[in-house]
Amino acid sequence: MTSKPAGRTILASTIAKPFTEEITKTVESLSYTPKLVGLLANDDPAAAMYASWTGKTCESLGFKYELQKVDKNELEAALIRANKDSETHGIMVYFPVFGDKQDQYLQQLISPEKDVEGLNFMYYHNLYHNVRFLDPPNNEQKSILPCTPLAMVKILEYLGVYNTLLHYGNRLYGKKVLIVNRSEIVGRPLAALLANDGATVYSVDINNIQQYTRGDDLSEQRHKVIELNGDDISIESLAPTCDVIITGVPSENYKFPTEHVSNGAVVINFASAKNFNDDIKQKAGLYVPSIGKVTISMLLRNLLRLIDNKKVREEAK
Amino acid sequence: MTSKPAGRTILASTIAKPFTEEITKTVESLSYTPKLVGLLANDDPAAAMYASWTGKTCESLGFKYELQKVDKNELEAALIRANKDSETHGIMVYFPVFGDKQDQYLQQLISPEKDVEGLNFMYYHNLYHNVRFLDPPNNEQKSILPCTPLAMVKILEYLGVYNTLLHYGNRLYGKKVLIVNRSEIVGRPLAALLANDGATVYSVDINNIQQYTRGDDLSEQRHKVIELNGDDISIESLAPTCDVIITGVPSENYKFPTEHVSNGAVVINFASAKNFNDDIKQKAGLYVPSIGKVTISMLLRNLLRLIDNKKVREEAK
């Protein structure tokens, strides 16, 4: 089991490169420097580190980054100010702040026009309903996708899992994907997004396994969800049939069982924890151990998309 | 079942185009017109038609084509003459001639240096043993691959089944392929070739089903064959697990059962008979109904490769 792996490990930095180059070029072509405001209202060192990393990436790609450290109880006011500020093009908040449903209220308070993370319920609604534009039938303003699911799409495109010979919107036809994570922020929208693109997705959480598809022959316009039941429904039975295994379990103790991964499968981990043991390299065709650098590129790509959408709206006036 | 298919039909002419363009350019760059000699020694109208089609393709791509119609009993002499003729760069015979083992003797009589179809046992030996060059360790003269298996590789590359991110030689890692045909001329070498490139191949003939692989983790240098036994081993059980279904059954009556093809699978027929009913379009991701135009491109590509190999040998003198 220690022979040279048949497959390859692909780093997020490699996948991100063409995007960061494209982003840098687009920023250079603007007549001003777009600004991202980050709002930090907790003492979490991980959040501070993420904020510092966002700042560095922003500056290296030509954006202005303004970190506002505020008290929890001032966050709402700071948010409303940033929404109104015409010099601020994108806003993000480092959660958790209160750690309860108030955080969701605050998240939704970010103007959709400045929501670089694509977390506004309007954007989620579009994602779930396979609606790709904000302004049908003109279709000039693209809906924003949440960064991590969007990063996953770009990664799967890079890895050749999307087949570009198939019609746009059907490019995952025939692909089976297992996703271990069904969070509202990543796992569930990701399952929907990949199913909307034609995949059969098995979505696993601690309670059950769900299947997301547009029907066997993609005859549906958007995915439907069914709950899989039965003694034979398990990671053990499904994983070996899957072309792609995606994990996002936020625990250092969790390891996906390598023995259930099919030889040559595409394996991607989006958790900050390491969800695979090293022996996965002996099994995977293509293994992407982390995706952060692609995700942050998507954040800045979204910011440029928000600017584009605004331009379309202004020109229509 | 009559809704618009989610997948696409891809024509051989589309796939052949970049090859015919490349071939035409290479021929133009030569200081002489390469000549292919076709030897026709039967009265089969299909052979005459194939000969006429070869001639037209040759001329449209800039080659000279000389059809020699000879009596069965003069074929051997004609072949030996063509082998010796320095103006003849490639030779092919339209079989069957005697329809027995004498045909194989005649086929093997074609000089390997002029064997455009890649049917010499030396080339087959290299294919089976995953030996890609004629002159190790220099590796300047590429071994010739038989046209139809080679065409299949090029088709699978075009369709994105080969993953170019994987190391050369492993690019079918994780792919499962079913081949219905195990002829010595196409089916068996094709199974070996795809397994040598990393696939798990199920090779079906009327007697049994064999599996060709380089081991689950591609740890072997070349494929091994095992015979699959058991009540659960059948097209019905294996086809739904396969990414690619390839057929080559030379009978108008044979139809591959559509219901066992997995939705979104790649489906390719290399028989001149139509091995699929039209409902396959409702199931296949990418469907290639015939491959003749790619095969004939490979014939002429092989001719150019033979010329290249000869040049390398002459320069080494």
Side-chain angles (χ1 to χ4, degrees), chain A residues 69-141:
Chain A
K69 293 185 190 176
V70 294
D71 185 82
K72 276 177 209 245
N73 295 307
E74 285 165 20
L75 178 58
E76 185 186 11
L79 244 174
I80 291 170
R81 267 199 311 278
N83 273 344
K84 284 187 185 155
D85 177 24
S86 65
E87 310 277 283
T88 297
H89 305 92
I91 303 171
M92 64 182 296
V93 176
Y94 298 93
F95 288 106
V97 175
F98 292 95
D100 60 17
K101 290 195 178 149
Q102 198 176 159
D103 283 4
Q104 207 166 63
Y105 162 77
L106 290 163
Q107 176 63 57
Q108 297 304 314
L109 206 59
I110 297 176
S111 163
E113 299 179 14
K114 300 190 178 183
D115 177 20
V116 285
E117 293 187 285
L119 300 177
N120 191 277
F121 287 154
M122 175 190 72
Y123 294 134
Y124 273 116
H125 174 274
N126 286 346
L127 181 159
Y128 284 117
H129 291 260
N130 205 7
V131 171
R132 300 182 182 219
F133 290 92
L134 297 176
D135 56 346
N138 287 350
N139 296 346
E140 291 175 326
Q141 298 175 49

Side-chain angles (χ1 to χ4, degrees), chain B residues 165-180:
Chain B
L165 285 185
L166 288 166
H167 298 296
Y168 179 77
N170 288 352
R171 290 180 174 171
L172 291 178
Y173 188 33
K175 295 299 191 297
K176 292 197 176 105
V177 181
L178 184 85
I179 303 174
V180 189

Side-chain angles (χ1 to χ4, degrees), chain A residues 146-211:
Chain A
C147 298
T148 305
L150 176 58
M152 200 60 76
V153 168
K154 295 300 174 186
I155 290 167
L156 292 171
E157 285 179 347
Y158 183 92
L159 300 181
V161 178
Y162 275 71
N163 192 319
T164 54
L165 286 184
L166 289 166
H167 298 297
Y168 180 77
N170 288 353
R171 291 182 172 168
L172 291 179
Y173 187 33
K175 295 298 192 296
K176 293 196 176 107
V177 182
L178 184 85
I179 303 174
V180 189
N181 174 305
R182 202 189 298 138
S183 66
E184 274 300 293
I185 204 143
V186 183
R188 191 166 80 93
L190 177 61
L193 192 56
L194 301 185
N196 283 345
D197 277 343
T200 296
V201 179
Y202 302 110
S203 167
V204 180
D205 81 352
I206 205 159
N207 299 308
N208 63 11
I209 300 186
Q210 297 177 342
Q211 180 187 275

Side-chain angles (χ1 to χ4, degrees), chain A residues 3, chain B residues 130 169-170 195-196 213-224:
Chain A
S3 61
Chain B
N130 206 5
N170 288 352
N196 283 345
T213 73
R214 277 172 47 213
D216 283 344
D217 56 358
L218 310 191
S219 53
E220 309 288 335
Q221 185 273 332
R222 70 178 199 95
H223 73 283
K224 295 201 169 157

Side-chain angles (χ1 to χ4, degrees), chain A residues 263-280:
Chain A
N263 281 87
V266 166
V267 174
I268 307 169
N269 171 49
F270 70 79
S272 53
K274 213 168 150 260
N275 284 176
F276 293 92
N277 284 318
D278 273 346
D279 60 358
I280 193 65

Side-chain angles (χ1 to χ4, degrees), chain B residues 1 5 9 75 92 130 272 313:
Chain B
M1 278 298 281
T9 298
L75 177 58
M92 65 181 294
N130 206 5
S272 53
R313 281 193 303 275

